[in-house]
Amino acid sequence: MGSASLPPHSTVQCLADRNLRTSFRSISFSGNFVRLPIELNSKYVSRKKHQSCTLTIRNDYPQNADYPRTYSKKEKKPFPVPIVELRRAARERAKNREGQPKGSAPPPKNGLLVRSLIPVAYDVFNARITLINNLKKLLKVVPVHACGWCNEIHVGPTGHPFKSCKGQHASLRKGHHEWTNAVVEDILVPVEAYHLIDRLGNRITHEERFSIPRIPAIIELCIQGGVEIPEFPTKRRRKPIIRIGKSEFIGADESELPDPIPEPPLKPLLTEIPDSEIVPPLNEEERLSVAEETLEAWGKMRRGAKKLMRMYYVRVCGYCPEVHVGPRGHKAQNCGAHKHQQRNGQHGWQSAVLDDLIPPRYVWHVPDVTGPPLSRELRDFYGKAPAVVEMCAQAGAIVPEEYRPTMRLDVGIPSDVREAEMVI
């Protein structure tokens, strides 16, 4: 900036007031920052008549952005952190540990719970139940369509006209979708994982794949984070384990400790409402309230799950959508992705990201629900949003800032094809 202190009566005048074309060329863009050269004119400045400075406008989110790329069945998911960076970080940690005594592992690596994350696990569990119950209510008033041949859905009065169906006999239909009524499972993609009695125990073998129950992966993450569900018991250690090798340990002796006293849940757990007892919103105000509560539950569930994933390991197969919550992936040979014969059906485990645990299921954003339907020729001007966000937006809720770039709310949509051809 200019001098350390400026007179309070100084006025700021943009260089564009003199020459618009010259000042437009002087504007510089850098990432999400816009730098504008401005001129300061003040009667208190004696040495220099004009002082120039740079005004920086910051935006945490870009104005427009593309939605995440979808990978084909023949492509492997990229690693969240490149292998080169992981090896470099491992060498750096080994170098820093040279000559130092080996300390004890922190929770949850030592078998204990992370106490600060137990309330977060309960919040994620209840947020998921609230989200499911509210989605059932919104489905009564917000139309959602699902293709009967592929996994694509659309939120709006009518299905979109785009020829993007890749289901069975798609060539006979020339890529057109056959729309039916959607259900909650079409909006919230069910991702299941094996329930572990002991998350530090032996890995699940191929022969045990049918004897171990499978539950929603987000619920398994909450259980490992500290949520107590009587239907799915899990082992809770009160003393840290003793490591005798990289993958071997022995449990500490807890016989001297008093018997554990069953404690009530930290927070009351919500339950899902049956479909027969769902009451749709009766008026516009109630519909808006349900939409805002749904959007808040969606954000709370994703933020809380992201916090839990930083401490509790979640693995995903690099070739198929299989998810495992635990330090190491299971050994069940049930991967049916591309070239699974070369791996003998084994999964290629890698660190999971949030979208692997909670798939957002992107849908086309309808700019005006009461206006004309989406046009096939204007497809490049439309944005996308997660189905939950699009439903809440059409119900009247305010769209969070993080989803506005992919929805392209700031893009002007041409009225016809002729106007679109004039766009540079």
Side-chain angles (χ1 to χ4, degrees), residues 260-323:
I261 302 175
E263 299 179 356
L266 184 64
K267 296 181 180 180
L269 299 179
L270 304 179
T271 57
E272 294 186 21
I273 303 176
D275 296 342
S276 59
E277 300 178 7
I278 293 295
V279 178
L282 301 178
N283 49 40
E284 190 72 20
E285 183 179 356
E286 188 175 351
R287 185 178 69 170
L288 177 59
S289 176
V290 173
E292 292 177 349
E293 186 181 8
T294 304
L295 207 55
E296 182 181 357
W298 168 259
K300 181 183 293 186
M301 182 180 67
R302 288 182 62 88
R303 290 191 299 268
K306 191 173 183 179
K307 292 180 181 179
L308 293 175
M309 292 176 65
R310 293 173 183 171
M311 299 300 296
Y312 296 92
Y313 291 106
V314 180
R315 306 297 184 185
V316 65
C317 179
Y319 305 94
C320 71
E322 179 73 10
V323 171

Side-chain angles (χ1 to χ4, degrees), residues 63 164 239 348 412:
Q63 182 179 6
S164 56
K239 282 188 175 182

Side-chain angles (χ1 to χ4, degrees), residues 96-114:
N96 295 335
R97 286 198 304 262
E98 289 182 358
Q100 297 183 1
K102 188 175 181 180
S104 58
K109 295 181 179 180
N110 60 0
L112 303 180
L113 293 175
V114 182

Side-chain angles (χ1 to χ4, degrees), residues 20-88:
L20 179 61
R21 183 176 303 176
T22 304
S23 74
F24 181 76
R25 293 176 180 175
S26 62
I27 297 176
S28 61
F29 299 87
S30 175
N32 296 336
F33 297 88
V34 181
R35 292 183 173 87
L36 301 173
I38 60 177
E39 185 178 276
L40 299 179
N41 295 336
S42 175
K43 61 182 180 180
Y44 297 97
V45 180
S46 58
R47 294 184 179 181
K48 294 183 180 180
K49 184 178 180 181
H50 303 290
Q51 287 186 348
S52 299
C53 63
T54 302
L55 175 65
T56 303
I57 303 175
R58 179 173 179 175
N59 183 19
D60 294 334
Y61 300 100
Q63 182 179 6
N64 298 300
D66 295 332
Y67 53 90
R69 174 192 169 191
T70 56
Y71 296 90
S72 66
K73 296 181 180 180
K74 296 183 180 180
E75 293 182 281
K76 184 183 180 299
K77 300 186 188 79
F79 290 95
V81 181
I83 292 294
V84 178
E85 297 294 335
L86 293 176
R87 292 175 178 174
R88 183 182 294 113

Side-chain angles (χ1 to χ4, degrees), residues 117-131 134 218 221-222 267-268 270 291-309 354 357-358 388-389 392 400 402-403:
L117 292 181
I118 296 179
V120 177
Y122 276 90
D123 291 340
V124 172
F125 184 91
N126 289 334
R128 176 182 176 272
I129 301 299
T130 303
L131 179 62
N134 288 353
I218 186 69
L221 180 62
C222 294
K267 296 181 180 180
L270 304 179
E292 292 177 349
E293 186 181 8
T294 304
L295 207 55
E296 182 181 357
W298 168 259
K300 181 183 293 186
M301 182 180 67
R302 288 182 62 88
R303 290 191 299 268
K306 191 173 183 179
K307 292 180 181 179
L308 293 175
M309 292 176 65
L354 183 61
L357 185 67
I358 310 174
V388 176
V389 179
C392 298
E402 56 184 307
Y403 300 108

Side-chain angles (χ1 to χ4, degrees), residues 23 70 107-108 132 162 190 258 271 323 338 349 361 364 367 371 374 406 416:
S23 74
T70 56
I132 293 176
F162 307 132
T271 57
V323 171
H338 183 60
W349 297 112
R361 182 59 72 88
W364 290 102
L374 301 183
T406 57
D416 52 14

